Amino acid sequence: MTQSTFRSRRTATLLVAAASLAVGLVASPANAATTWESLPVPATNVNFSLLPFDSQNAYATTKTYCWDCISVEKLWQRSGSTWKELKPPTDAALGTLAGTGPNDLWAIGRKDIGSTVWHVHHYDGTKWSSDLSPDTRNLEILDAEAVSRTSLWGAGNNRKDGWTPTVTHWDGQRWNTTTFTGIDGGFDAIDVRSENDIWAVGYRDKGGVPADYQPLAMHYDGTKWSEVPVPETPGEMNILRTVLSNGPNDVWVASDSHVSHWDGATWTRRDIPVSGSVKSFANYGGQIYAGVWVDLSGGPKLLRWSGTSWVADTSLTNGTTVAQLATTPDGALYALSQGASSPYNYLSRLAPPTAR
């Protein structure tokens, strides 16, 4: 699943971008038949995150760019072709959105970057719940995914005794929280394929100076959590920030430009040949796509896995970088892209493959 808050620590590397031209980044023949539909956005010159459900319904958050003032967060609901602002409770935060439909929305986060209080609210399409956070002071939920109206999984860290990776589950009545004591680190992303197939990924702090963060991946089979060790990249801050599971034998994780694939037995490095960061993966029509936050040196913003390498998909023309990819139950693909100048935000949709 894709997080609502996007972070990138990559810097522009012109040499990498130049080298990418020689790595087979050419548009595939299928691109000629790909047509993206441009959709309206609730606001343009703001940070924007999307939670789509189908062609008519979605939620989104916007947050103003602000260097020396208090940023303003807003929540929006899309019905048909129209966006309308939705007022959450005054103590609600909009760092992460999760849910299964217009009448099942979770808003999770903290009010501002300096706050130590984590909030969790639910919206049933008519009214908001009170704060349902399992632990407002210690548990940070950085990513979440809803399976149904009575099942929400969240991943992050517990700050009570240092930083410890933590997963929590809401069953409709109460929270069940698992803290992985003995591991110094945290989770950044979670992907729930089913209640018996869940991945949570992030980092393990190896204690080096400067901080030696190395990848951490855990899998839940419905009974227990097990670590699935990912090869390290010594000397780099290797934090897994996104994960996509197509089943227990087909899992993709990424840390900036470093990509690894799990086939059920081993991890294989499948790094992108682009100077940038993979912000999210998506499975569209059985093919794996990677949305890339492109560095200043430029390069393709949308990549497709050919089975042997990453190739550029040039069908998405809006924007210069991709902040988010998301699919909906009907099989459609949504891309949130951004440009270098106003307007910054673009929202595009690929209809389900069978509908094209």
Side-chain angles (χ1 to χ4, degrees):
M1 182 178 173
T2 302
Q3 289 179 222
S4 297
T5 302
F6 304 105
R7 288 160 290 188
S8 175
R9 301 183 184 181
R10 298 287 291 177
T11 55
T13 307
L14 184 58
L15 293 177
V16 176
S20 69
L21 298 178
V23 191
L25 290 184
V26 295
S28 67
N31 287 337
T34 301
T35 302
W36 290 85
E37 174 190 5
S38 293
L39 302 176
V41 295
T44 54
N45 302 336
V46 293
N47 287 313
F48 177 32
S49 182
L50 179 73
L51 177 64
F53 302 117
D54 53 45
S55 61
Q56 301 296 309
N57 296 281
Y59 285 106
T61 62
T62 60
K63 187 174 183 179
T64 56
Y65 298 107
C66 192
W67 296 102
D68 56 357
C69 60
I70 298 176
S71 296
V72 177
E73 287 185 316
K74 292 185 178 181
L75 176 63
W76 304 84
Q77 182 175 10
R78 181 174 187 245
S79 179
S81 60
T82 303
W83 289 98
K84 67 176 182 179
E85 186 179 353
L86 182 65
K87 293 291 187 180
T90 56
D91 63 334
L94 305 174
T96 296
L97 298 184
T100 60
N103 61 353
D104 179 27
L105 172 68
W106 292 87
I108 304 169
R110 54 184 175 176
K111 293 293 290 183
D112 59 75
I113 196 170
S115 174
T116 60
V117 179
W118 222 259
H119 303 276
V120 177
H121 288 80
H122 182 260
Y123 180 64
D124 66 4
T126 303
K127 63 182 183 300
W128 288 89
S129 71
S130 58
D131 196 341
L132 297 174
S133 175
D135 185 345
T136 59
R137 290 292 179 182
N138 297 308
L139 180 58
E140 296 185 341
I141 302 175
L142 298 178
D143 194 22
E145 187 167 352
V147 181
S148 67
R149 290 181 58 84
T150 58
S151 181
L152 174 81
W153 291 86
N157 57 73
N158 192 302
R159 302 177 301 172
K160 185 176 182 180
D161 298 308
W163 299 90
T164 308
T166 302
V167 173
T168 189
H169 178 236
W170 172 259
D171 65 6
Q173 298 293 327
R174 61 187 61 84
W175 294 96
N176 179 29
T177 300
T178 302
T179 299
F180 298 94
T181 56
I183 299 178
D184 187 6
F187 291 130
D188 270 40
I190 191 169
D191 190 33
V192 183
R193 182 173 175 82
S194 72
E195 300 282 7
N196 301 320
D197 186 7
I198 303 171
W199 288 81
V201 302
Y203 71 96
R204 180 197 299 271
D205 188 350
K206 304 284 284 189
V209 179
D212 185 11
Y213 293 160
Q214 294 302 320
L216 174 66
M218 306 283 290
H219 179 254
Y220 182 67
D221 63 6
T223 302
K224 65 182 186 302
W225 286 93
S226 302
E227 183 174 357
V228 185
V230 181
E232 299 182 356
T233 308
E236 295 191 29
M237 187 175 290
N238 198 195
I239 304 173
L240 301 179
R241 301 192 185 277
T242 186
V243 55
L244 173 68
S245 171
N246 300 305
N249 301 329
D250 184 14
V251 181
W252 295 83
V253 297
S255 170
D256 293 330
S257 63
H258 299 316
V259 174
S260 295
H261 177 252
W262 173 253
D263 64 4
T266 59
W267 291 99
T268 303
R269 285 286 288 270
R270 303 295 189 188
D271 293 355
I272 60 170
V274 177
S275 179
S277 302
V278 174
K279 287 301 179 182
S280 54
F281 295 109
N283 184 333
Y284 175 71
Q287 297 191 77
I288 305 302
Y289 287 82
V292 182
W293 186 272
V294 182
D295 284 340
L296 296 177
S297 50
K301 58 182 177 288
L302 185 64
L303 302 175
R304 179 181 57 81
W305 180 249
S306 70
T308 57
S309 63
W310 292 104
V311 297
D313 188 307
T314 58
S315 62
L316 180 63
T317 57
N318 287 336
T320 58
T321 195
V322 170
Q324 184 182 358
L325 293 177
T327 54
T328 47
D330 62 2
L333 175 64
Y334 292 77
L336 172 58
S337 54
Q338 296 183 337
S341 59
S342 180
Y344 294 107
N345 290 322
Y346 301 90
L347 180 57
S348 307
R349 174 182 181 270
L350 271 182
T354 56
R356 288 166 45 201

